[in-house]
Amino acid sequence: IVHCQFGDRELFARMARNHIAADIQPGFTISDIPYVACRMGAREEQGYCWKTMLEEGVHLGGGSDSPVESFDPIWGIHCVVNRTDASGQPEGGWHPDQKLTVEEAAALYTTEGAYLTFEENKKGAVAPGYLADLAVLSADLFHTAPEHILDVQVEMTVVGGKIVYSR
């Protein structure tokens, strides 16, 4: 399901039982903040529940809905890890109980993204027999303080073993 933005534990558990995955757009977590409360009222708490979805066993892949949101996966990772805009607002993150770890966030764009496209046996990991699709970053996301994720830059992109971008 693309744009799976609202639901509750019961729905997410049913999705997991029925092997229904969700392609989420992490950037919406931030850009929709001004609209959610006024349009959803009390149901705001049921929105953008990425952590709850993972806890219930739903496979999540990350997308951008570009050109609506930035196609930059670093921005998407920032959005689900911090749940803040680029200036750190709202302080502490919007519904911080739904923050993902950096590992969970990276999986949205690697192993889980490959799972959603039925390519988990040839994409999503650096492994023998897999396509050489990867990005080289300026810093290790797994050892970067969450508030500095946006400082990380893509140095190189490799698709099918060929360099297609180099900063």
Side-chain angles (χ1 to χ4, degrees):
I1 298 175
V2 179
H3 298 295
C4 186
Q5 292 166 283
F6 286 86
D8 58 21
R9 277 197 183 273
E10 182 181 329
L11 174 65
F12 302 147
R14 196 166 77 213
M15 286 174 66
R17 278 194 311 276
N18 289 291
H19 309 285
I20 298 171
D23 176 25
I24 65 169
Q25 290 67 44
F28 286 163
T29 308
I30 306 312
S31 64
D32 289 359
I33 291 172
Y35 311 106
V36 175
C38 67
R39 293 185 179 154
M40 299 305 291
R43 292 183 296 165
E44 175 186 356
E45 299 292 325
Q46 294 178 314
Y48 311 82
C49 297
W50 315 138
K51 187 63 132 184
T52 301
M53 293 173 86
L54 286 180
E55 290 170 354
E56 291 299 331
V58 177
H59 283 276
L60 299 179
S64 67
D65 203 41
S66 179
V68 176
E69 296 290 341
S70 170
F71 62 84
D72 181 0
I74 300 296
W75 171 246
I77 290 169
H78 163 81
C79 289
V80 295
V81 170
N82 294 299
R83 294 179 68 99
T84 66
D85 64 17
S87 67
Q89 296 301 311
E91 190 174 326
W94 185 54
H95 298 290
D97 60 309
Q98 293 300 322
K99 290 179 178 181
L100 299 187
T101 66
V102 172
E103 291 78 9
E104 291 165 335
L108 297 176
Y109 297 96
T110 56
T111 55
E112 291 299 303
Y115 179 86
L116 266 60
T117 59
F118 305 100
E119 298 174 295
E120 66 271 24
N121 295 316
K122 64 180 179 178
K123 286 185 175 181
V126 177
Y130 281 56
L131 298 175
D133 295 349
L134 57 98
V136 177
L137 304 178
S138 62
D140 182 347
L141 280 178
F142 303 108
H143 293 96
T144 298
E147 63 272 15
H148 293 293
I149 288 172
L150 288 178
D151 297 334
V152 176
Q153 296 183 354
V154 175
E155 297 289 336
M156 181 185 299
T157 304
V158 179
V159 177
K162 293 184 169 55
I163 297 171
V164 296
Y165 169 79
S166 179
R167 194 163 76 95

